[in-house]
Amino acid sequence: MMNRALAWLQRLESALLALLLFAMIALAAYQVFARNLFDTGFTWGDGFVRVAVLWVTVIGAMVASRSDDHIRMDVLARYFSTGTLVLVRRATALFTALVSFGVAWSSIGFVQFEREDGTLAFGAVPAWWCEVILPVGFAVIGLRYLLRAFVLSAEQVLDDEGDQGGSYSDLDGDGVDADGDRAP
Amino acid sequence: MMLLGTLAILAFAFLGAPLFAVVLAAAMLGFYASEIDLAVIGIELYRLTSTPLLVALPLFTFSGYLLSESNTSKRLVDVMQSLVGWLPSGLALVGFVACAVFTALTGASGVTIVALGALLLPALVRSGYSERFGLGLVTASGSLGLLLAPSVPLILYGIVAQQLDVGEPFTIQDLFVAGILPALLMIVLLTLYSLWLHRGGAIPRVAFAWSNLGRALWAARWELPLPFFVLGGIYGGFFAVSEAAAMTALYVLVVEVFLYREISVRRLPSVMVDSMVMVGGILLILGAALAFTNYLVDAEVPQRLFEFTKEHIESPITFLILLNILLLVLGAVLDIFSALVIMVPLLLPMAVGYGIHPVHLGIIFLANMQIGYFTPPIGMNLFIASYRFKKPILELYAACLPFMLVLLVALLIITYVPALSLGPVEWLRGD
């Protein structure tokens, strides 16, 4: 049940990321043509693109927290023994989870306020629809780090080592990255 | 309480907690101590939507991912080789220029070393360069080109600095113009070093052939318009930076997926997702840093920091020396994006206080970061090269050292001759 929900969430995140990026490219490019050739364009286009950037940011960050791919300062990790490293990773995961829940909680207040206020973001779209990604996103990030702190096995915690920043860690192009993880 | 909280957050930062959480925790602690409602965190993060320019970052990053997933690197090296390979030290020059162009387009994420190094290193050794020289070249050049448009760190510096609204106002285009001569200076000095090292005809020269040039240009025919199109569009005033980013993304998408067909339509979504995860990580830290900066400004931290340094450091020259040392260390410890969004809000007000132009500071900052990428012991590119070329890390330290010294000379010139960065900007503005 839990695994099915997680798989469903992962597909949704990926689909949203690709869709939003595609919409950003298409809309921004259309605006250039429309403005230069016909002197027109969607008045809501700019507002949509800006909100899309926020959504891409939060959803991208949600995906990065699946395997703890966030940017961090990693000066001490190479000096720890394996056992200590697992403990350190669990502790920092708990810290991250608490901070994320704090942000999620505080942005619920913000979204609620804007909803009562009836602010519009662009066109006829209420601002709180755009902002709702903040509490949702940070709650998901918090949950993923909570899992990392308490539920994931030591192997799983260490498995995500070294592929920080993710994408270019497959250095020799054989589909296996520096620490032996196979690309999904 | 405040002290204890600060110490705990710093401890988590050094233990390797994600930086977005570290910076958000710091902001929350700060707001809490100033008795400001924590709902402000949500408002601050939502400020990411108030910068129209920001969309340039995901779009240029996506273009960079597409270019690095296709055979652009090979075509780029072929074109450069047939163009300047016949000169003395020609292949070294090919390496410097190709790496600079590729890094400007893809960001200095290590992909330059992986994609171009694999082509250049064997070619250099075959042409008579020593392996040590080749290793140093590909590792040190992995971050060359950060100062050239449309590099993502350069745009990010512009966005962060403009948010702060201190010093003379400037545009992203000004930054793009300011980076040109410093980047050329680095390439020229590196080439002179290679010429000096291989003086007396140690490396056999290859003849220039029109047929090679023709073949290379034909192979790269779809990608050749790209630089002119991006740069011409921006410098010529046809598009704003964010529009140029959209046109670039669209153009690269069509070229790599439908004309070269090196990325299948089926693989496209995964490239899109990968690039957006990278962007999400960077922009989340930016959003957190915006919140934290706002707290710092409220608490007058940059101002107090400036007053403190002003008491101990009188001359801008001393300030610049210390700044360079600080940034070199930072460049080796922090990744470039976090360093930008966390340090620029602290450093820019100080630098402006010493009379340094924000555009000049940006160029100094990135030039330092560029060297930090391969500064021993922990510059990221050293590890990437060590892994990619299966060489011990100590060998890479030794190989990179001469290149580092050359680039430090360039850095000193860039730092102490502001006209190198600012001259062309003023000239283009007509004053």
Side-chain angles (χ1 to χ4, degrees):
Chain A
M1 175 60 205
M2 166 110 159
N3 282 339
R4 270 195 23 219
L6 274 181
W8 184 83
L9 176 66
Q10 294 196 0
R11 274 205 295 277
L12 179 71
E13 287 168 334
S14 301
L16 271 176
L17 273 186
L19 263 177
L20 283 168
L21 175 60
F22 189 76
M24 278 197 290
I25 297 172
L27 191 65
Y30 172 81
Q31 298 281 70
V32 177
F33 285 118
R35 188 174 52 86
N36 284 315
L37 298 180
F38 317 112
D39 224 6
T40 56
F42 300 120
T43 45
W44 49 266
D46 185 44
F48 171 83
V49 168
R50 287 196 235 170
V51 172
V53 173
L54 175 77
W55 279 59
V56 160
T57 302
V58 178
I59 300 172
M62 285 159 69
V63 175
S65 46
R66 284 180 201 164
S67 52
D68 196 16
D69 262 355
H70 281 283
I71 297 171
R72 57 181 180 230
M73 218 167 16
D74 231 354
V75 277
L76 296 179
R78 63 189 99 247
Y79 306 110
F80 292 138
S81 69
T82 315
T84 321
L85 189 60
V86 173
L87 277 182
V88 165
R89 289 290 184 243
R90 287 200 196 282
T92 55
L94 181 61
F95 167 78
T96 310
L98 291 177
V99 173
S100 303
F101 288 137
V103 175
W105 179 251
S106 89
S107 42
I108 288 177
F110 167 54
V111 173
Q112 200 111 42
F113 177 79
E114 294 262 293
R115 203 174 83 135
E116 282 156 17
D117 218 34
T119 327
L120 292 181
F122 54 89
V125 178
W128 75 271
W129 289 12
C130 308
E131 292 152 3
V132 83
I133 191 67
L134 285 172
V136 172
F138 275 95
V140 170
I141 294 174
L143 281 173
R144 287 207 167 116
Y145 274 99
L146 204 61
L147 281 180
R148 183 163 292 275
F150 294 115
V151 181
L152 293 191
S153 68
E155 286 77 37
Q156 281 168 310
V157 171
L158 289 176
D159 208 33
D160 293 325
E161 263 331 277
D163 47 33
Q164 176 193 16
S167 1
Y168 292 126
S169 46
D170 173 16
L171 294 178
D172 44 10
D174 59 357
V176 180
D177 60 11
D179 50 341
D181 285 350
R182 197 155 272 284
Chain B
M1 168 65 198
M2 190 68 183
L3 183 69
L4 211 65
T6 312
L7 287 178
I9 291 172
L10 277 178
F12 277 114
F14 281 105
L15 286 175
L19 279 171
F20 83 87
V22 170
V23 180
L24 280 173
M28 286 199 278
L29 181 69
F31 285 125
Y32 175 78
S34 330
E35 294 175 7
I36 295 170
D37 189 337
L38 283 186
V40 75
I41 295 287
I43 300 173
E44 293 286 343
L45 285 171
Y46 196 66
R47 270 175 59 204
L48 280 177
T49 59
S50 63
T51 317
L53 204 59
L54 215 55
V55 68
L57 298 183
L59 295 176
F60 275 129
T61 306
F62 175 57
S63 310
Y65 266 65
L66 286 175
L67 289 173
S68 43
E69 293 276 330
S70 33
N71 286 329
T72 310
S73 47
K74 173 149 188 356
R75 289 187 287 268
L76 177 63
V77 170
D78 285 347
V79 168
M80 291 317 304
Q81 196 159 5
S82 56
L83 211 55
V84 297
W86 55 277
L87 292 166
S89 259
L91 194 59
L93 180 60
V94 168
F96 297 133
V97 176
C99 286
V101 172
F102 201 67
T103 302
L105 288 168
T106 61
S109 47
V111 68
T112 304
I113 296 178
V114 175
L116 284 177
L119 297 170
L120 287 168
L121 185 58
L124 284 164
V125 174
R126 259 202 315 277
S127 314
Y129 295 86
S130 70
E131 188 177 44
R132 173 181 276 205
F133 178 84
L135 271 176
L137 187 153
V138 297
T139 312
S141 307
S143 51
L144 198 62
L146 271 184
L147 294 175
L148 291 174
S151 109
V152 169
L154 200 55
I155 300 175
L156 190 62
Y157 173 81
I159 291 173
V160 174
Q162 285 180 347
Q163 292 273 341
L164 292 168
D165 202 21
V166 289
E168 272 182 66
F170 64 95
T171 62
I172 302 288
Q173 277 91 335
D174 291 343
L175 275 174
F176 286 174
V177 172
I180 296 173
L181 288 184
L184 281 180
L185 174 73
M186 291 184 186
I187 294 174
V188 167
L189 288 185
L190 286 169
T191 309
L192 287 178
Y193 163 67
S194 172
L195 280 171
W196 173 79
L197 190 70
H198 303 111
R199 64 193 175 276
I203 310 280
R205 294 199 18 208
V206 277
F208 176 81
W210 283 105
S211 60
N212 284 348
L213 180 61
R215 207 174 317 128
L217 287 178
W218 177 248
R221 63 194 176 282
W222 298 115
E223 285 158 338
L224 282 177
L226 193 60
F228 301 100
F229 173 75
V230 180
L231 302 181
I234 297 175
Y235 293 134
F238 296 109
F239 328 127
V241 174
S242 53
E243 293 174 336
M247 298 310 286
T248 307
L250 185 66
Y251 183 82
V252 172
L253 182 73
V254 171
V255 165
E256 306 303 340
V257 177
F258 298 105
L259 296 175
Y260 285 119
R261 299 182 185 206
E262 284 166 351
I263 297 171
S264 67
V265 177
R266 285 188 56 191
R267 224 176 92 223
L268 195 57
S270 85
V271 179
M272 290 177 125
V273 171
D274 281 353
S275 61
M276 289 307 100
V277 171
M278 163 101 182
V279 168
I282 297 168
L283 290 188
L284 190 62
I285 298 181
L286 174 65
L290 288 177
F292 184 54
T293 304
N294 228 5
Y295 159 71
L296 289 179
V297 171
D298 272 354
E300 297 182 338
V301 173
Q303 201 184 330
R304 275 190 261 167
L305 217 54
F306 174 60
E307 277 157 17
F308 176 80
T309 38
K310 194 79 190 177
E311 254 173 48
H312 299 271
I313 306 163
E314 285 258 328
S315 81
I317 301 214
T318 325
F319 172 75
L320 283 172
I321 293 176
L322 293 175
L323 181 73
N324 276 329
I325 296 171
L326 172 76
L327 289 177
L328 281 176
V329 174
L330 219 69
V333 182
L334 271 179
D335 83 288
I336 190 163
F337 300 110
S338 328
L340 274 169
V341 299
I342 297 170
M343 294 311 290
V344 169
L346 291 171
L347 291 174
L348 182 60
M350 272 206 256
V352 167
Y354 282 101
I356 296 158
H357 194 287
V359 168
H360 187 210
L361 179 73
I363 302 300
I364 297 175
F365 197 106
L366 291 180
N368 272 291
M369 291 290 129
Q370 184 196 320
I371 299 174
Y373 265 101
F374 57 94
T375 303
I378 46 175
M380 179 184 90
N381 282 358
L382 293 165
F383 291 97
I384 293 179
S386 161
Y387 181 81
R388 180 62 185 83
F389 304 116
K390 312 227 170 356
K391 296 285 170 201
I393 193 86
L394 285 175
E395 201 176 319
L396 279 156
Y397 291 173
C400 284
L401 197 65
F403 292 88
M404 189 170 155
L405 293 177
V406 173
L407 287 176
L408 282 175
V409 171
L411 175 66
L412 286 178
I413 300 175
I414 290 167
T415 308
Y416 295 110
V417 186
L420 197 65
S421 315
L422 300 176
V425 179
E426 283 157 12
W427 182 72
L428 273 183
R429 280 193 188 157
D431 28 277

